[in-house]
Amino acid sequence: MNKLSTNNLFDIQVFVLLYESLNATTVSQNLGVPSSKVSRSLKSLRHSLNASLFVRKQQGFERSELADDIYPKMKRIVELAKLCEQADTYSQPERKRELVIACPSSLSLNLLHALQQTALEQEQSFLFHLKSCSSNTVDLLKQQHVDIAVTCSAYNTEQISSNLITHSDAYVLVARCEHPLFDGDESIGIAEICAYPYISFSSNELYDVVDPLASYALDTQRSLDMVLKVCFLADLMLELEKSDAVALLNHNDAIKFLCQRGNIAAVKLTDDLSSQINQRSGQNHYYLTQMRNDRSYPDWIGDQIQQYIKANVIARAGGHNEKVI
């Protein structure tokens, strides 16, 4: 049995269940895992033993002689593990299902709270793990290290699907509360914004997207003093507070974060001005990206994420310069 030293209890559970049912779908359902994970587990056992345990047939599986030989020992291991688990059943809290969600950091400030509240209402126990998107988020989805992601680009393959959640085509100007742009009731336009240092803020550090205002300035041969590019709200807040720099944002929660925690004020731009800025770069899009199959989480989680993103993204400017805070 030394050959099995690299295998874990899950692999042994898979073997025992498949030996008894001869149905991989049944094993997947009983363990609450994707069928691909069952297949990987069997492959690991086969590699450890350097022998086949089951022969795939048209109607299912057929047990090998080796499987018949080791089944009683494997069964005993599973039974002993269950006894150990039951020994402290009443003192242990309910085991939570962990779900890993990748999302741009400034777009997910209150997403965790929204998911926890809905899980409570659904009477379901989840341990949500929010992480920033990375350059290999799609690969992590395929490897099942990430369960669901909010991306700024669509990925549609045989394995991955991306469904459009919403888009944003409007902006809010943020700067320190005492900024000269906030004095008086004069309308804010491109010329007024470009008269001050500009900080380009990207909600997603992964995508090398050209800043929309920078694109507009380049097309119209307008001077733009871009002093920084940042993707973290704390960095943006510190830079805005100590200078006359300005920035453009389009996520409600990110704007509230800056205004409530820093000496920052915000003003919505007019629809016409936002449209003017978007002449070259166009709208920002947000997609719910996940595996087409092998999903081990309920539909309400995807629905809740989409609902939150839609409420958080600014899609309309309101038609006039309107002070937010």
Side-chain angles (χ1 to χ4, degrees), residues 124 148 288 290 295 297-306:
Q124 295 184 18
I148 191 167
L288 191 72
Q290 54 196 326
R295 298 179 191 172
Y297 47 87
D299 291 339
W300 67 259
I301 292 180
D303 295 339
Q304 180 61 59
I305 293 174
Q306 294 188 74

Side-chain angles (χ1 to χ4, degrees), residues 23 31 70 139 165 204 238 251 302 321:
N23 189 304
L31 294 176
I70 67 173
D139 291 332
I165 301 174
N204 195 331
L238 292 174
H251 300 157
N321 290 147

Side-chain angles (χ1 to χ4, degrees), residues 174-176 179 196-199 227 239-240 242-247:
V174 291
R176 63 185 180 89
H179 197 283
Y196 295 94
Y198 179 69
I199 299 176
V227 293
E239 294 299 329
L240 290 175
K242 66 182 182 183
S243 70
D244 276 342
V246 299

Side-chain angles (χ1 to χ4, degrees), residues 169-233:
D169 54 7
Y171 300 97
V172 169
L173 178 79
V174 291
R176 63 185 180 89
C177 292
E178 301 82 11
H179 197 283
L181 278 176
F182 298 145
D183 292 338
D185 297 323
E186 294 185 6
S187 178
I188 297 175
I190 291 288
E192 288 73 24
I193 295 174
C194 292
Y196 295 94
Y198 179 69
I199 299 176
S200 176
F201 178 78
S202 173
S203 64
N204 195 331
E205 60 270 27
L206 301 179
Y207 304 100
D208 188 21
V209 178
V210 178
D211 184 275
L213 185 59
S215 297
Y216 176 79
L218 182 65
D219 279 354
T220 58
Q221 299 183 337
R222 186 182 294 273
S223 176
L224 179 67
D225 181 18
M226 186 184 296
V227 293
L228 280 174
K229 290 184 176 182
V230 298
C231 58
F232 295 109
L233 287 172

Side-chain angles (χ1 to χ4, degrees), residues 124-179:
Q124 295 184 18
S125 184
F126 277 93
L127 177 62
F128 295 108
H129 177 194
L130 291 184
K131 60 184 298 181
S132 296
C133 290
S134 62
S135 58
N136 63 337
T137 293
V138 173
D139 291 332
L140 293 176
L141 280 167
K142 293 178 181 178
Q143 298 164 9
Q144 298 179 341
H145 295 305
V146 168
D147 296 293
I148 191 167
V150 176
T151 61
C152 297
S153 297
Y155 301 91
N156 286 296
T157 66
E158 291 183 2
Q159 295 176 287
I160 302 290
S161 68
S162 291
N163 296 313
L164 179 65
I165 301 174
T166 188
H167 68 269
S168 64
D169 54 7
Y171 300 97
V172 169
L173 178 79
V174 291
R176 63 185 180 89
C177 292
E178 301 82 11
H179 197 283

Side-chain angles (χ1 to χ4, degrees), residues 32 54 73 97 133 165 214 240 255 258 267:
F54 300 95
K73 303 178 183 68
R97 294 169 58 189
C133 290
I165 301 174
L240 290 175
I255 296 163
L258 292 174
V267 169

